[in-house]
C-alpha cells in the first residue's frame, strides 16, 4: 500500500502540536521533508481526508478529550498498521520464524546455520569465521539478530523493534529501516565477536540500541515529531545498558548478556544519527 499525502505545509510552520494529537489518536503517519515543505503521509485516502479536516479545526493540536467524536479520524486496525509498517512487520515475522524453527536455540540442526560462527557439538569447538566466509556463508554476519533464546527475550525485543522501527519507517521509508537494521546488526555482531569470548549469541538487542542511538542523535540535530520518544524511554534504556555492563544480570544467573553487541549497536546508531541529522539540518 502506497502512502497518501494528507498535508503539505511550509518548513517554518510548527506541526509538533498537530502531530502529537495524531499520536494520541493513534493515527499512523509519518512526516518527511520534500522540496522545501513538510509532508504528512497516512496509509489511505479516506484517512487523509479525515486528517485534513482535523487540521482545519485544530492546526496547533488539542487535547484528545476536546475533540468531538465525529471529528476524530477512525483508528486503523492491526492489519492497516501492519501494511503501513510493512518492513518493520517483515523483520519481526522473520525473527519469529527463525526463533521458532530453532526452538529458541534448542534445535542445533537449525541453530548452527544462523549463528555468527558455526560450531561442532561433538567436538565442542567453534569453527573459524574465516572458514565459513570462504565457504560462502556470508549470511552469518547478519542472522544472529534473528535468533532469540527465550520467549521473554523475543517479546521484549519485538516490542521495542515495533516501537522504534515504525518511527524510522514512517520518517525514512522501509528500505532505509532495512538498511539500518542490517548495518547495526552487522556492527553489533562483529563487536560481540571481537570483544566477547567465543559463544552463541543472538537477538535484536544490538539493533535496538542502534535504532535508539539513531533517533536520539538525529532528534538533537534535526528535531522531527517522528523521533520524539516518550519521556523516560532513553534514560531507561541507557540505565538498563549500565546494569547489564555491571555484571549484575550474570551474577543473578539470569543469563549471559551480549554487552559488546549493545554498546557496539549504540555507538553505530549514534554515528548514523549524527550523519543523518546533520544532513537533515543542512537541507533545512
Amino acid at each position: 500500500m502506497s502512502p497518501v499525502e494528507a498535508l503539505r505545509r511550509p518548513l517554518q510552520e510548527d506541526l509538533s502540536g498537530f502531530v502529537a494529537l495524531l499520536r494520541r489518536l493513534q493515527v499512523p503517519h509519518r512526516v518527511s521533508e520534500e522540496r522545501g515543505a513538510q509532508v504528512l503521509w497516512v496509509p489511505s485516502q479516506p484517512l487523509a481526508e479525515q486528517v485534513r479536516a482535523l487540521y482545519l479545526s485544530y492546526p496547533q493540536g488539542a487535547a484528545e478529550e476536546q475533540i468531538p467524536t465525529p471529528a476524530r479520524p477512525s483508528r486503523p486496525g492491526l492489519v492497516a498498521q501492519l501494511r503501513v509498517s510493512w518492513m518493520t512487520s517483515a523483520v519481526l515475522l522473520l525473527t519469529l520464524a527463525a526463533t521458532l524453527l530453532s526452538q529458541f536455540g534448542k534445535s542445533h540442526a537449525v541453530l548452527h546455520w544462523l549463528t555468527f560462527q558455526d560450531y561442532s557439538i561433538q567436538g565442542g569447538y567453534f569453527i573459524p569465521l574465516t572458514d565459513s566466509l570462504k565457504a560462502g556463508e556470508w549470511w552469518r554476519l547478519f542472522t544472529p539478530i534473528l535468533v532469540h533464546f527465550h520467549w521473554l527475550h523475543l517479546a521484549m525485543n519485538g516490542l521495542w523493534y515495533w516501537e522504534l522501527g515504525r518511527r524510522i519507517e514512517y520518517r525514512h521509508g522501509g528500505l532505509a529501516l532495512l538498511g539500518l537494521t542490517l548495518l547495526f546488526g552487522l556492527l553489533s555482531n562483529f563487536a560481540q565477536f571481537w570483544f566477547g569470548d567465543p559463544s552463541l549469541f543472538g537477538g535484536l538487542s544490538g539493533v535496538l540500541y542502534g535504532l535508539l542511538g539513531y533517533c536520539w542523535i538525529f532528534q538533537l540535530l534535526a528535531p522531527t515529531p517522528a523521533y520524539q520518544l516518550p519521556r523516560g524511554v532513553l534514560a531507561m534504556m541507557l540505565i538498563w545498558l549500565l546494569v547489564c555492563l555491571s555484571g549484575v544480570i550474570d551474577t543473578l544467573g539470569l543469563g549471559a548478556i551480549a554487552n559488546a553487541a549493545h554498546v557496539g549497536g549504540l555507538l553505530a546508531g549514534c554515528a548514523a544519527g549524527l550523519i543523518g541529522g546533520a544532513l537533515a539540518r543542512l537541507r533545512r
Side-chain angles (χ1 to χ4, degrees):
M1 177 184 292
S2 300
V4 177
E5 180 181 319
L7 290 175
R8 181 178 290 267
R9 305 302 302 165
L11 280 178
Q12 60 269 27
E13 181 175 335
D14 185 5
L15 282 177
S16 59
F18 184 70
V19 170
L21 171 60
L22 293 181
R23 284 203 303 271
R24 289 198 298 273
L25 293 173
Q26 298 182 23
V27 177
H29 64 278
R30 68 181 176 93
V31 179
S32 64
E33 298 172 11
E34 299 183 9
R35 299 176 183 177
Q38 304 175 82
V39 183
L40 191 147
W41 305 86
V42 294
S44 65
Q45 186 60 45
L47 187 58
E49 294 173 359
Q50 295 179 63
V51 168
R52 292 187 195 109
L54 185 67
Y55 176 79
L56 292 176
S57 300
Y58 305 96
Q60 303 301 320
E64 185 175 352
E65 58 271 13
Q66 294 177 318
I67 302 174
T69 300
R72 301 181 184 183
S74 57
R75 297 179 180 178
L78 178 60
V79 174
Q81 294 186 49
L82 292 176
R83 286 177 179 173
V84 175
S85 309
W86 63 273
M87 183 58 73
T88 307
S89 305
V91 172
L92 289 176
L93 183 61
L94 190 59
T95 299
L96 177 63
T99 299
L100 294 181
L101 286 173
S102 68
Q103 299 177 26
F104 290 92
K106 296 177 182 177
S107 174
H108 295 285
V110 175
L111 181 65
H112 87 96
W113 289 107
L114 302 174
T115 53
F116 199 78
Q117 286 181 273
D118 198 359
Y119 60 92
S120 171
I121 298 178
Q122 290 79 11
Y125 62 89
F126 286 93
I127 297 172
L129 178 62
T130 52
D131 291 353
S132 297
L133 297 181
K134 288 178 182 178
E137 299 175 1
W138 290 89
W139 66 82
R140 293 187 180 278
L141 302 179
F142 306 96
T143 50
I145 68 174
L146 301 176
V147 182
H148 291 74
F149 301 102
H150 190 271
W151 68 267
L152 184 59
H153 186 207
L154 175 65
M156 293 302 296
N157 281 355
L159 288 172
W160 279 115
Y161 189 84
W162 177 252
E163 174 66 27
L164 296 172
R166 286 190 305 160
R167 292 173 180 272
I168 292 175
E169 187 169 2
Y170 290 160
R171 180 66 173 75
H172 298 301
L175 293 181
L177 173 62
L178 177 61
L180 290 176
T181 297
L182 294 176
L183 175 64
F184 299 153
L186 173 67
L187 296 179
S188 61
N189 287 339
F190 256 116
Q192 186 61 36
F193 168 73
W194 189 262
F195 293 102
D197 297 326
S199 61
L200 300 178
F201 60 88
L204 278 167
S205 302
V207 173
L208 295 179
Y209 273 102
L211 299 181
L212 178 71
Y214 180 84
C215 293
W216 176 22
I217 302 302
F218 192 107
Q219 180 71 2
L220 290 177
L221 295 176
T224 173
Y227 296 159
Q228 288 181 348
L229 298 174
R231 290 182 178 179
V233 166
L234 178 62
M236 183 187 68
M237 293 287 283
L238 295 179
I239 290 173
W240 176 250
L241 177 63
L242 294 176
V243 170
C244 293
L245 288 171
S246 71
V248 171
I249 305 300
D250 292 344
T251 302
L252 294 176
L254 299 178
I257 303 295
N259 289 315
H262 294 177
V263 174
L266 180 62
L267 293 177
C270 289
L274 179 64
I275 295 171
L279 292 175
R281 190 182 184 93
L282 286 175
R283 286 197 296 268
R284 291 181 184 180

